[in-house]
Amino acid sequence: MSSSSIVAETFAKLRQKSRTAWQSLRDRPLILVGTATCGRAAGALEILKVIKEELEKHGIDARVLEVGCMGHCYAEPLVTVYKPGFPPISYGYVTGGIAARLVQDFLGGDDPCLEFALAALETNDMVPALTDFPRGMIEKPIILDKCGLIDPEKIEHYIALGGYAALARALTREPEWVVEEIKASGLRGRGGAGFPTGRKWETCRLAPGEKKYVICNADEGDPGAFMDRAILESNPHEVLEGLAIAAYAVGARQGYFYIRAEYPLAVERVKKAIEEARQAGLLGTNILGSGFSFNVDVFQGSGAFVCGEETALIASMEGEPGLPRHRPPFPATAGLWGKPTVINNVKTLAYVPHIIERGAQWFRETGTAGSPGTAVFALAGKVINTGLAEVPMGTTLRQLVYDVGSGIPKGKSFKAVQIGGPSGGCLPEAALDMPIDFDSLSQAGAMMGSGGMVILDEDDCMVEIARFFLDFTQKESCGKCTMCRLGTRQMLDILEAITKGQGRPGDIELLLELAEDVKAGSLCGLGKTAPNPVLSTIRYFRDEYEAHIKERRCPALMCRELIAYYILPEKCERSCDACVGSCPVEAIYPNEDRIKVIDQQKCVKCASCLEACPPQYKAVIKLSPPELVAERGRKVNIP
């Protein structure tokens, strides 16, 4: 029997065994509880406990599984119920009381409790399905398609739904075929740079040397980004399979997951996945009888943002300080311990099994010509539906923010979106109809990055936003390059002065000059992109910089030093003392007419009065510049 036949036969037996186990789950009601980090933060473990107690209490025979994140983080805790005769229904914002109702009324009776339903997972006549909503029409899940639907700690669930078939297929072909298929797909790295994955693999494969390595870069450090964590917690085998295929393609026998230690659940589930795959004969010696051997270990990073850069990552794995190195040579020819090394992001590797199984042309049918496939974004900030979304490349920002994210909360206006992590850019409302792909974002002064997307509304000051992100990258700079170490420090000093009303004429031009110097004088991507938030906010929101510098005014009323709180006399209710009682420094007092007044010398601008003022009055406002308070006071003759 040929090696290919042995692989095919061995895997067929494994898949049949897994399918049998998967089908047996449906011989009784099945309850899925999302217990990824987002679910746990919302109380999912308590919901899990309630469900198990209620099942026992009522003597109901049902299976309960812990699953990962479906992407609807805004609605956590999420529970999905499969019951014969009903479509599978997901329930959001589940409390202990709702969980008890689902067990008693739905599983114990025939009331599906539709008042708590988020959506059905399949089209039916009873309750709208996810695909019936605008979001469902835009999303096209490829690498998220199993997240939240399988137990990430049971390999048979992944295999039963098609998992590891791509690895088995790859092992029946020559490694060169695998490389060519990835090249033909046009897959670009989803970690930030967008480098063609196939070219990287080809370079490593052709590099001389017997010993080579593959590394999954899971050092996700962008503020507001949690895509990689969610995938590793929800479907680690998908990434592990992609890593094994990469190893076979380039000729590596050893691979690593580089995961930041702040992701303990991801580390736990990846380790479990590695052990399961090893026991199933999908890792280790002579995988599926193919003659190919491959082992994987987990390396936990210490949380330095710069270690997301691949040469710094390699340095930290070698026991050295996590500092970037000069390139060339590139890691694909001289990486870990000087050996040819492929480093791919979590999402990049997750696409690989799908491409090998369905073909390069299938992958190219989605997305744009220059950026095929889909992209996973983490929606955070001022958006109603926070969470994960996987959409085709070329989807517009407007579709993502308004159709997927359901728009801006509290009736506020959209102002900008910060995309691409702390080194990305801020795009204004005028860019809402711009298609999202690697090239379009680059032309607009932003970058795809890893997929983090922070939505900003009318209350956000763009100067302060630029200062916030530069403060992050400045602190995370390793300090190796002078321009990154000192140039970003000087830029940050200027921004801090501007947000305090101490900006000077010429500061904007100086920021632009320093930004170019920092980009040109930095070795790695952190330094080369750190000025992006400053450059993009000056490009699109220069008027806000000028208002801060020339008028000592913050148009968004956000910069603490440039605002003052003021109580409108005509709206202040004389019988109400809510603001007086809420003020922690006793800066508010009633005048002789019982109109409340703020002592500006005592006020610490904590906003307690603004929050305490009953919404029917809305008497507390913010003014900028602070001198406007005195002007208003004179007009109404307030002492």
Side-chain angles (χ1 to χ4, degrees):
M1 185 180 291
S2 67
S3 173
S4 296
S5 299
I6 293 173
V7 170
E9 184 176 321
T10 305
F11 182 71
K13 292 178 180 176
L14 184 59
R15 182 163 54 188
Q16 183 55 48
K17 181 181 176 184
S18 298
R19 285 176 174 171
T20 301
W22 175 255
Q23 290 166 358
S24 69
L25 291 176
R26 306 300 175 86
D27 60 4
R28 70 193 74 169
L30 175 64
I31 304 174
L32 309 181
V33 182
T35 59
T37 295
C38 53
R40 294 183 180 206
L45 293 181
E46 182 61 26
I47 299 302
L48 181 69
K49 180 182 176 186
V50 170
I51 289 174
K52 290 180 176 178
E53 289 175 349
E54 288 293 318
L55 288 172
E56 184 176 357
K57 177 180 175 182
H58 295 281
I60 297 173
D61 186 16
R63 298 182 191 275
V64 182
L65 292 182
E66 291 188 50
V67 297
C69 171
M70 294 178 66
H72 297 265
C73 305
Y74 63 93
E76 295 283 1
L78 269 167
V79 172
T80 300
V81 179
Y82 291 78
K83 181 178 180 180
F86 292 87
I89 303 174
S90 286
Y91 300 86
Y93 312 100
V94 176
T95 63
I98 293 175
R101 284 277 309 276
L102 293 176
V103 173
Q104 296 168 28
D105 297 348
F106 191 12
L107 298 186
D110 277 332
D111 176 6
C113 302
L114 296 182
E115 63 271 33
F116 307 125
L118 187 69
L121 300 186
E122 299 172 357
T123 302
N124 65 95
D125 297 329
M126 182 182 298
V127 57
L130 286 173
T131 52
D132 294 328
F133 292 92
R135 172 177 185 151
M137 299 177 189
I138 294 172
E139 287 189 291
K140 187 173 183 179
I142 295 176
I143 61 175
L144 298 184
D145 64 340
K146 299 181 185 66
C147 294
L149 301 178
I150 62 174
D151 186 337
E153 298 189 10
K154 293 190 183 305
I155 192 173
E156 59 266 29
H157 293 185
Y158 179 66
I159 295 175
L161 297 182
Y164 286 107
L167 175 62
R169 186 181 189 211
L171 294 177
T172 64
R173 311 294 290 265
E174 293 298 321
E176 292 81 359
W177 176 86
V178 178
V179 173
E180 289 302 319
E181 196 68 6
I182 295 300
K183 284 175 61 180
S185 73
L187 175 64
R188 298 173 67 170
R190 297 310 201 252
F195 189 81
T197 304
R199 279 175 54 194
K200 182 182 285 189
W201 287 19
E202 183 178 52
T203 302
C204 185
R205 173 155 189 82
L206 297 177
E210 286 294 316
K211 184 167 283 189
K212 299 177 182 179
Y213 299 102
V214 290
I215 300 173
C216 173
N217 184 352
D219 192 49
E220 184 177 54
D222 293 358
F226 45 91
M227 305 78 62
D228 294 354
R229 186 201 70 210
I231 292 171
L232 292 178
E233 290 178 351
S234 305
N235 192 6
H237 284 287
E238 184 178 51
V239 187
L240 181 57
E241 184 182 8
L243 188 68
I245 293 172
Y248 177 70
V250 305
R253 300 292 180 268
Q254 177 66 48
Y256 296 95
F257 276 86
Y258 188 103
I259 310 174
R260 54 177 43 224
E262 293 95 324
Y263 285 181
L265 185 60
V267 170
E268 177 185 326
R269 289 186 169 171
V270 168
K271 286 184 175 178
K272 173 77 173 175
I274 292 171
E275 183 56 32
E276 281 188 307
R278 192 173 286 133
Q279 291 181 4
L282 295 163
L283 284 181
T285 304
N286 192 24
I287 295 173
L288 296 174
S290 64
F292 170 64
S293 300
F294 178 58
N295 288 300
V296 181
D297 291 307
V298 173
F299 185 97
Q300 296 188 52
S302 299
F305 180 69
V306 73
C307 285
E309 199 279 336
E310 55 186 20
T311 61
L313 180 152
I314 287 172
S316 71
M317 290 185 69
E318 293 174 342
E320 301 292 331
L323 302 179
R325 295 170 175 170
H326 286 280
R327 296 184 296 178
F330 292 93
T333 55
L336 186 62
W337 294 299
K339 307 299 181 184
T341 304
V342 159
I343 303 176
N344 284 138
N345 168 264
V346 168
K347 297 182 291 297
T348 309
L349 291 169
Y351 282 108
V352 169
H354 299 277
I355 294 171
I356 296 301
E357 183 67 6
R358 304 189 209 184
Q361 184 55 40
W362 163 83
F363 189 70
R364 280 195 169 278
E365 290 171 358
T366 302
T368 64
S371 302
T374 59
V376 178
F377 293 98
L379 298 182
K382 307 288 185 61
V383 64
I384 293 174
N385 292 343
T386 56
L388 300 183
E390 184 176 3
V391 298
M393 288 281 193
T395 300
T396 66
L397 280 171
R398 186 183 302 279
Q399 289 174 307
L400 258 179
V401 174
Y402 287 96
D403 294 333
V404 176
S406 296
I408 313 301
K410 301 179 181 178
K412 299 285 185 177
S413 300
F414 172 91
K415 186 170 192 177
V417 56
Q418 203 281 343
I419 185 170
S423 300
C426 294
L427 299 178
E429 185 177 10
L432 275 175
D433 293 314
M434 183 182 72
I436 306 172
D437 59 45
F438 288 103
D439 303 320
S440 298
L441 289 175
S442 178
Q443 291 171 9
M447 57 188 285
M448 180 73 78
S450 62
M453 188 174 284
V454 181
I455 316 300
L456 307 172
D457 71 10
E458 62 191 66
D459 294 334
D460 291 307
C461 169
M462 302 312 295
V463 184
E464 169 58 21
I465 293 297
R467 188 210 62 78
F468 172 82
F469 283 110
L470 191 67
D471 180 60
F472 177 87
T473 50
Q474 207 282 325
K475 288 175 178 172
E476 292 291 342
S477 170
C478 70
K480 183 173 183 176
C481 303
T482 303
M483 284 310 302
C484 181
R485 183 179 70 252
L486 300 181
T488 55
R489 179 69 253 178
Q490 187 177 356
M491 292 179 69
L492 183 60
D493 288 343
I494 294 172
L495 288 173
E496 287 178 344
I498 293 175
T499 57
K500 292 177 180 176
Q502 300 166 4
R504 297 173 299 182
D507 275 352
I508 296 177
E509 289 70 25
L510 182 55
L511 282 171
L512 293 172
E513 183 180 344
L514 283 168
E516 295 305 322
D517 290 343
V518 170
K519 292 172 70 173
S522 298
L523 186 61
C524 78
L526 188 150
K528 290 182 181 300
T529 58
N532 282 350
V534 181
L535 290 173
S536 59
T537 50
I538 291 178
R539 177 177 175 180
Y540 296 115
F541 301 95
R542 189 180 180 112
D543 57 328
E544 291 198 25
Y545 280 84
E546 292 175 343
H548 281 70
I549 295 171
K550 296 177 181 177
E551 305 170 34
R552 313 295 184 199
R553 177 173 66 87
C554 176
L557 303 174
M558 185 180 188
C559 293
R560 191 186 183 94
E561 302 291 336
L562 299 183
I563 64 167
Y565 288 86
Y566 177 73
I567 299 175
L568 294 166
E570 67 273 20
K571 290 190 174 182
C572 181
E573 169 55 47
R574 289 175 171 77
S575 63
C576 174
D577 287 334
C579 59
V580 177
S582 70
C583 181
V585 294
E586 299 182 349
I588 303 177
Y589 61 92
N591 65 10
E592 57 187 11
D593 296 324
R594 287 208 51 77
I595 299 296
K596 266 61 74 183
V597 179
I598 299 176
D599 183 339
Q600 298 297 328
Q601 298 301 315
K602 287 186 176 180
C603 179
V604 293
K605 304 176 184 180
C606 65
S608 295
C609 54
L610 185 67
E611 296 169 3
C613 185
Q616 63 269 33
Y617 304 141
K618 294 182 179 178
V620 182
I621 63 172
K622 292 190 283 186
L623 296 174
S624 182
E627 290 76 17
L628 287 178
V629 173
E631 184 179 323
R632 288 203 175 213
R634 286 193 295 272
K635 287 181 181 178
V636 296
N637 195 29
I638 291 178

